[in-house]
Amino acid sequence: MSEPKKQEETRTHWWVLCLACAAVVLDGYDTVALGVSIPAIAKDWAVAPSSFTPALSLTSAGVALGYLAVGRLVARLGTRNVIFAAVVVFTVGSLLTAWSTSIVELTILRFVTGLGLGAVLPAAVSHATAVNPVRLRQSIAVAVMTGISLGALIAGLAGSSIVGSLGWEWVFIIGAIASAVLLPFLWFGLSNRQVPGMPIDAAEAKHHASVARLFDASVRSRTLLLWAFSFLIFAVYYVFSSWLPTLLTSYGFSTGLAPLGSAALGIGSIIGACLLILGSRRYRMTSVLAGTSAAAIVFLVISAFLGPDKALLLLVFGGVGLGLQAGMIGQAAVAVSLYPEATVTAGVGWAASLGRLGSVIGPIFGGVLIGLGVDTSIIVLSVCLPVIIALVLVLALGRITAAKSRTQMSAPSTELPLTTPPRT
């Protein structure tokens, strides 16, 4: 290999990483925007907060469809073009959401917006990891995924003042403006050239993007465990990202202060992402995820028995966000390391889509319980069981991965491996 090519493959492309993170930050902001706005919209439209369950669920359904389609779209159009088009879709959708006048209009617009939101994240993770050194793939995947947490944090912190001073419509308008500003930077800043390790032939690219590749004998069991883990963690997280501001009103929070619940989740999520990056340097990612899942269980149990102390409630729900969002971010890092580079976009997309299926179920579950008038502490305790199951699943995933790694290392080989995948 020539010296310039060696330098290119070991150089970190910071500009690409920053742009990919920025796109995902806007994704995270827009994803949380509706949950932040529900108390104010419900008051403005004189409807019950539980009436917004279809809008929340169809947003997640749109995102899930975007995840499912992204592998084939990237094989046909390339990651740069998919990222750009997806940001255009959710920019327009977010802007139109601000002028919706009924729950039906809102639900349709959020579904369309969700299609764009879903396509951004897997394409951004795939692009950023493909053009950067292999040794940094898991850390870069975590860094890009952290944009979801940062976006949620911005929506939570800004949403409180925006709703109070400008009205709920501006939560969506400001997000659309920020996305529109980013578009030219994405178009000119992301490389449109063939990324390393990706097949050039279109038919071959589609083959590697097929979901069937995720069920090759070497990864089938780990794919199923990863999907189940993603489903459960996403489902529980979206109970809170969708309904936490509403749940907090039962503790005496005003509609202006309730969005701080989303900010608490976001702050905890960013701390969780930092723990993932630091922990993955010494331990397998699955071991780190087991620890964060256990932390989520502890904080959920504590939150169920707290009184109306607002500061303490926000602190504990920040811990819930730490544990749950770490799982949502970490599952993408595991997917990045499980599959060949040409299949990474499909692997990340399908794992996230199963998670998003959970995010469809989560808001419905929470909305039903809120509509029935179930006590907040009972709602919180009821979601502990899925997290316990997720903890068991990720421990099993780590054990299988470690066993396969030992088998591969001890088996004789007649040819050199192409790459050394990161630990999972």
Side-chain angles (χ1 to χ4, degrees):
M1 185 183 296
S2 64
E3 190 64 29
K5 189 171 182 180
K6 283 183 179 180
Q7 292 177 355
E8 178 67 17
E9 292 190 358
T10 57
R11 183 167 64 93
T12 303
H13 294 75
W14 293 107
W15 180 243
V16 172
L17 178 57
C18 289
L19 287 175
C21 286
V24 176
V25 166
L26 293 171
D27 185 333
Y29 175 95
D30 200 276
T31 299
V32 174
L34 181 57
V36 166
S37 305
I38 281 177
I41 303 175
K43 185 177 180 181
D44 192 17
W45 291 357
V47 297
S50 58
S51 302
F52 293 90
T53 300
L56 291 168
S57 295
L58 282 180
T59 300
S60 293
V63 173
L65 289 176
Y67 284 151
L68 294 178
V70 71
R72 294 295 182 125
L73 289 174
V74 165
R76 181 183 294 271
L77 303 174
T79 49
R80 192 277 296 264
N81 294 334
V82 170
I83 293 170
F84 183 84
V87 173
V88 169
V89 169
F90 74 68
T91 299
V92 174
S94 185
L95 189 62
L96 293 177
T97 298
W99 278 275
S100 58
T101 58
S102 69
I103 291 177
V104 173
E105 286 182 14
L106 182 69
T107 300
I108 294 171
L109 287 170
R110 294 309 296 172
F111 174 76
V112 174
T113 304
L115 295 173
L117 295 172
V120 166
L121 189 143
V125 170
S126 179
H127 191 92
T129 55
V131 301
N132 280 293
V134 172
R135 60 186 170 82
L136 298 177
R137 286 178 72 181
Q138 282 195 342
S139 296
I140 287 173
V142 170
V144 174
M145 288 285 293
T146 304
I148 290 284
S149 306
L150 182 56
L153 172 60
I154 293 171
L157 292 175
S160 181
S161 57
I162 292 171
V163 170
S165 58
L166 299 175
W168 64 266
E169 298 90 346
W170 280 91
V171 174
F172 298 97
I173 293 172
I174 290 173
I177 292 173
S179 301
V181 169
L182 181 64
L183 284 172
F185 292 95
L186 292 175
W187 183 257
F188 294 106
L190 295 180
S191 172
N192 199 33
R193 63 180 175 80
Q194 183 74 14
V195 296
M198 295 294 290
I200 297 176
D201 180 74
E204 184 185 355
K206 290 180 182 179
H207 168 69
H208 284 287
S210 170
V211 66
R213 298 290 295 166
L214 309 180
F215 287 90
D216 287 348
S218 60
V219 294
R220 185 185 303 121
S221 60
R222 288 179 286 175
T223 291
L224 292 173
L225 287 169
L226 180 61
W227 285 8
F229 174 81
S230 297
F231 174 85
L232 294 170
I233 291 294
F234 270 72
V236 175
Y237 179 82
Y238 273 86
V239 170
F240 293 104
S241 71
S242 300
W243 295 114
L244 184 56
T246 301
L247 292 173
L248 289 178
T249 59
S250 68
Y251 285 103
F253 283 70
S254 66
T255 56
L257 289 177
L260 291 177
S262 296
L265 285 177
I267 292 172
S269 300
I270 291 173
I271 295 173
C274 293
L275 291 177
L276 284 181
I277 294 175
L278 295 174
S280 64
R281 294 179 177 275
R282 296 190 60 183
Y283 307 102
R284 292 184 179 275
M285 182 61 73
T286 48
S287 299
V288 181
L289 292 181
T292 57
S293 299
I297 295 168
V298 171
F299 282 112
L300 282 169
V301 172
I302 293 174
S303 66
F305 296 100
L306 282 180
D309 187 317
K310 293 182 175 62
L312 189 56
L313 277 169
L314 292 176
L315 180 64
V316 171
F317 278 113
V320 172
L322 181 156
L324 295 177
Q325 187 77 314
M328 295 168 62
I329 295 171
Q331 58 84 24
V334 172
V336 162
S337 64
L338 279 184
Y339 308 111
E341 200 160 279
T343 312
V344 163
T345 303
V348 172
W350 275 87
S353 72
L354 266 292
R356 279 294 183 164
L357 178 59
S359 74
V360 174
I361 303 299
I364 293 174
F365 178 76
V368 168
L369 294 183
I370 290 173
L372 292 173
V374 176
D375 188 74
T376 299
S377 62
I378 300 299
I379 295 175
V380 172
L381 286 175
S382 68
V383 299
C384 282
L385 180 59
V387 185
I388 293 171
I389 297 173
L391 172 59
V392 174
L393 291 173
V394 78
L395 288 172
L397 176 59
R399 185 170 183 177
I400 292 174
T401 300
K404 286 184 178 292
S405 297
R406 288 193 296 268
T407 301
Q408 291 170 357
M409 292 177 64
S410 61
S413 177
T414 58
E415 56 183 41
L416 294 174
L418 295 177
T419 61
T420 302
R423 295 181 302 169
T424 58

